[in-house]
Amino acid sequence: MDKEELELELLLLAVYRLSGFDFRQYMRSSIMRRVQNRLRLEQLPRISRLTEKVIHDENCLKKLLHDFSINVTEMFRDPSFFHTFRKDVVPYLRTLPEIRIWHAGCSTGEEAYSMSILMEEEGLGPKVKIYATDMNESVLQKAEKGIIPLAKMQLFTKNYIQAGGRRSFSEYYHTDSQFAYLAPKQLEKIIFAQHNLVTDGSFNEFHVIICRNVLIYFNLQLQSKVLSLFEQSLGAGGFLGLGSKETIRTEIESNFSDFCPEEKLYRKKS
């Protein structure tokens, strides 16, 4: 282990001991990029100096935790995924008396908003409850408000149409000169809550779990642990949706069938 790697280990240990958030099994390349960026912003020469500042400056710790949190998302991100979900998964969900969906690592909530809209359009709104969780409390506070920068809505509208949207997308929000405000009806289906995939356990039994473009930031050991959590949290016949660069390659693989491998949709065997 070289000195920089040792410094990073000590920084991540300090973060864990001070905050309870454990990033020691995140992909090193991703974590190192964020640490180097924080060094530049703080004008510090070495990681050990950042560790010292994190220990003695609570505000610096908060900044670093925010740096480590992955907050890249869109409404109807990868439209073909949502189109396939609408076409192939929804018919199974129609047979259920109630529907519980977990969006794990939801960031600012855009994919949970998308699911709320999709389920309403499919006539399933009254019996669906969407649980949207993230480790980052500040992004959850944003997500709960349903406020989206207006500049993003052109892309989101395009995604919605490609995902098989059946109405005018503008029916789901109103705007002012800067922001779009999601309709309260779409937000009331969603429960936002803090949950850390690294350290927290299962909290319900779900019919669908969506966790897309999160596992790519974890090392193989942590990926295996989180996938096991999802397997435990899904009821028999439940669906798991992963990101385009993610897959099930662990000891739980035999418990799932490839429902739609092109869209990384899997189904737990009965």
Side-chain angles (χ1 to χ4, degrees), residues 242-260:
L242 301 179
S244 59
K245 295 182 176 65
E246 299 164 340
T247 189
I248 296 178
R249 289 184 301 201
T250 73
E251 60 273 9
I252 71 164
E253 184 176 3
S254 61
N255 296 332
F256 285 83
S257 59
D258 290 332
F259 184 79
C260 182

